[in-house]
Amino acid sequence: MKTLERYVFGAFLSSFFLAFLVLSFVLTIGLMVQIVGYILQGLPLGLVGEFALVSFPETMQWTIPLGLLVAAILVFSRLSADSEVAAMRACGVNLFAVVRWPLLFAALCTALGLYINNEIVPRGHEVRRNLARRISVGAGLDLLEPGKVIDDFPKMKIYFDRKEGNWLHDLIVIDYTNPKFDRMITASKALVESEGRDIVLDLYNVTADPMDESHPGMARAARFQYRAKDALKDAKYTRKEKDFRFGEMLAAIDKAKADVRDPEAAAAEINARRAAKGKAALETTKGGHELKLLRKSLKRTLSDIRTEFMKRWVFAFASICFVLIGIPLGIRAQRRESSIGMAIALVTALCYYMVVILMTSLSKSYAAQPHLLIWLPVAACVLLASFLIPKNL
């Protein structure tokens, strides 16, 4: 590496790491607030530490590309504003050789991003979801929050306006334990306690509608005890597409393709599972209405999985794309003020990620082919770079 190349690449690296640290701090503020809240609510530090450990890596899929974009624009806009780019041209320096090392570093970050997005982030997402379920259910009653419907407990929902210690005020409980009817219980206040895995509510000024199967009307009582059995038992978490790593995602796509090609076989698998749970089977007659609906559902599932998989690649390719357009945009800035470079970086990243978010929101619209359209920002960056680089380097 020549002295000039080392000088430019050193400035690029220092700017990148500074931008990376600042962006990481900004993006993790919300997470830190959540972690502090869990600590103040008395959760075990080991559980909180595990929650934090798996949550931080997910920010890297944003901070690495954005850090590269900020570094590329700021460094090369400064070189242009200080006439260093003009001096290089006057001395016959090949600018492609100067930008080679930032581009190689961006390619390395793209490979790292592919690994993070396909291996670390899915694993972190699954662990975090399991931890969140353990926190909300297994950690007990300390995390009951007023003003929101709490549906983490099986066969019941709870809502209350105010909490003082273990006393809940203006309480509403929706009870689903009886398969024949749902029961709504209201109370002016309730003392909530746990006995093993059961939640026990000592209710005051109670109304229950209905009281029970033999009394279908509304009943009132000055005091009533309600017990939710096994409410604090950990529920099983069902893995979703976001939890699948690279090999699992490929297998899921192949399985979804096979189901779309042969919906009758997919219906047979679904009916086997429904029979095990005592549910009625789907109508599998060829050309039947339920089979048509199943085919559409399978296509939506395939589109959803494909879009999630492609999103990980597009997020990773943001690193090389941002550097490809950041270098010529920085050279064209012709201004010393860093605010100009930051504005360009913000607009570029916003446009890139807005398209990705839009296509992700359309992931189930299989007719629109969102797994292909999600590559539009990458294609736009390549076209823009092919136009800007020859004019500025």
Side-chain angles (χ1 to χ4, degrees), residues 38-256:
Y38 287 153
I39 294 175
L40 294 178
Q41 291 170 0
L43 288 180
L45 291 179
L47 191 61
V48 176
E50 188 177 359
F51 183 85
L53 187 62
V54 300
S55 298
F56 283 125
E58 191 166 351
T59 63
M60 295 177 67
Q61 64 181 328
W62 304 87
T63 54
I64 290 177
L66 290 174
L68 289 169
L69 176 60
V70 171
I73 291 180
L74 292 185
V75 169
F76 285 92
S77 64
R78 182 186 63 80
L79 292 175
S80 179
D82 292 344
S83 300
E84 294 181 74
V85 172
M88 293 178 197
R89 288 176 177 148
C91 295
V93 175
N94 186 355
L95 291 182
F96 285 99
V98 174
V99 303
R100 175 178 56 190
W101 291 103
L103 289 174
L104 288 175
F105 182 74
L108 180 62
C109 289
T110 299
L112 177 62
L114 287 173
Y115 177 76
I116 291 173
N117 296 344
N118 284 288
E119 298 295 333
I120 297 179
V121 172
R123 177 180 174 83
H125 182 269
E126 181 180 4
V127 172
R128 191 171 65 255
R129 289 289 296 271
N130 274 309
L131 286 174
R133 187 172 294 274
R134 287 168 57 191
I135 288 172
S136 60
V137 178
L141 306 175
D142 292 337
L143 295 181
L144 292 177
E145 298 181 20
K148 61 177 291 187
V149 177
I150 301 166
D151 57 0
D152 295 309
F153 305 116
K155 297 184 179 180
M156 66 179 296
K157 293 184 179 180
I158 298 177
Y159 175 88
F160 56 94
D161 285 337
R162 186 164 47 92
K163 180 181 179 183
E164 296 177 357
N166 281 3
W167 285 94
L168 311 179
H169 295 268
D170 298 324
L171 175 72
I172 300 175
V173 177
I174 307 297
D175 180 10
Y176 302 103
T177 55
N178 194 318
K180 297 182 179 180
F181 61 88
D182 299 335
R183 179 169 59 166
M184 184 173 73
I185 303 172
T186 62
S188 61
K189 63 178 182 178
L191 179 64
V192 57
E193 296 177 333
S194 61
E195 294 182 3
R197 292 182 173 179
D198 297 349
I199 290 179
V200 179
L201 295 171
D202 196 4
L203 306 166
Y204 293 82
N205 299 324
V206 187
T207 62
D209 185 18
M211 181 62 186
D212 52 39
E213 190 173 354
S214 58
H215 300 83
M218 179 184 294
R220 300 180 183 273
R223 188 174 180 180
F224 177 73
Q225 187 178 85
Y226 174 82
R227 179 182 292 269
K229 295 184 177 180
D230 288 333
L232 299 179
K233 182 179 179 180
D234 289 343
K236 183 180 179 180
Y237 171 64
T238 302
R239 299 179 78 232
K240 301 179 181 179
E241 291 80 9
K242 290 185 177 181
D243 305 324
F244 295 163
R245 283 173 271 183
F246 183 79
E248 295 173 317
M249 187 65 78
L250 292 178
I253 292 174
D254 290 340
K255 176 65 168 60

Side-chain angles (χ1 to χ4, degrees), residues 251-276:
I253 292 174
D254 290 340
K255 176 65 168 60
K257 286 180 179 179
D259 289 342
V260 171
R261 288 193 299 266
D262 190 0
E264 289 85 358
E269 293 182 11
I270 294 173
N271 285 336
R273 292 194 297 266
R274 292 173 70 92

